[in-house]
Amino acid sequence: MSNQELVVLGQSDGTGACCPGLLTAPLDEDQAVELAKVFKALGDPVRLRLLSMIASRAGGEVCVCDLTPAFELSQPTISHHLKLLRQAGLIDCERRGTWVYYWLVPEMTDRLAGILTRPADGSRPERTAPAGAAS
């Protein structure tokens, strides 16, 4: 076991980027729980398609009435998927009359991108041989 000090994301000296990547420092427990909810929301093909349809929409927002026909699912099922995307912080919405309009929350997708992006200098931690491996 190494004596290397582990810096936990969110507990640094504040000199790093606002969204340190996975190659920068390990996630703390709260961050892992929060991110797992976001990745779980993205782990469903219907929700991933919905997010893509919302994010790529000209004008930045889309009515639920334009999303539902793209799927062979009931309106309540689509609404459930949209609710999970909202709870994960990926989209937001506003009711206008009888329709609900959705838009992407770019701060969340930027955060995910920052977490998954390698450092600009291309550096990454060195690989070490597995315990018990011949050298």
Side-chain angles (χ1 to χ4, degrees), residues 24-38:
T24 306
L27 296 170
D28 68 25
E29 185 176 346
D30 292 338
Q31 289 170 318
V33 168
E34 181 183 345
L35 282 172
K37 291 176 187 175
V38 176

Side-chain angles (χ1 to χ4, degrees), residues 19-23 35 39 42 110-119:
C19 304
L22 291 174
L23 297 178
L35 282 172
F39 286 119
L42 291 172
D110 290 349
R111 182 174 175 216
L112 291 176
I115 288 169
L116 296 174
T117 301
R118 292 186 323 166

Side-chain angles (χ1 to χ4, degrees), residues 30-63:
D30 292 338
Q31 289 170 318
V33 168
E34 181 183 345
L35 282 172
K37 291 176 187 175
V38 176
F39 286 119
K40 185 174 181 179
L42 291 172
D44 182 273
V46 171
R47 290 192 289 271
L48 199 52
R49 284 186 59 211
L50 283 166
L51 183 69
S52 174
M53 292 171 71
I54 294 166
S56 64
R57 183 66 169 218
E61 63 182 30
V62 62
C63 177

Side-chain angles (χ1 to χ4, degrees), residues 49-123:
R49 284 186 59 211
L50 283 166
L51 183 69
S52 174
M53 292 171 71
I54 294 166
S56 64
R57 183 66 169 218
E61 63 182 30
V62 62
C63 177
V64 69
C65 62
D66 295 324
L67 295 170
T68 306
F71 300 89
E72 293 184 10
L73 298 170
S74 68
Q75 183 277 326
T77 300
I78 296 297
S79 291
H80 173 73
H81 286 297
L82 290 166
K83 175 182 157 188
L84 294 176
L85 289 171
R86 280 188 58 227
Q87 289 175 338
L90 292 161
I91 62 172
D92 205 353
C93 68
E94 175 182 79
R95 178 172 292 283
R96 298 179 196 155
T98 56
W99 299 111
V100 178
Y101 289 79
Y102 291 89
W103 58 86
L104 181 72
V105 176
E107 296 82 8
M108 180 56 85
T109 54
D110 290 349
R111 182 174 175 216
L112 291 176
I115 288 169
L116 296 174
T117 301
R118 292 186 323 166
D121 64 4
S123 66

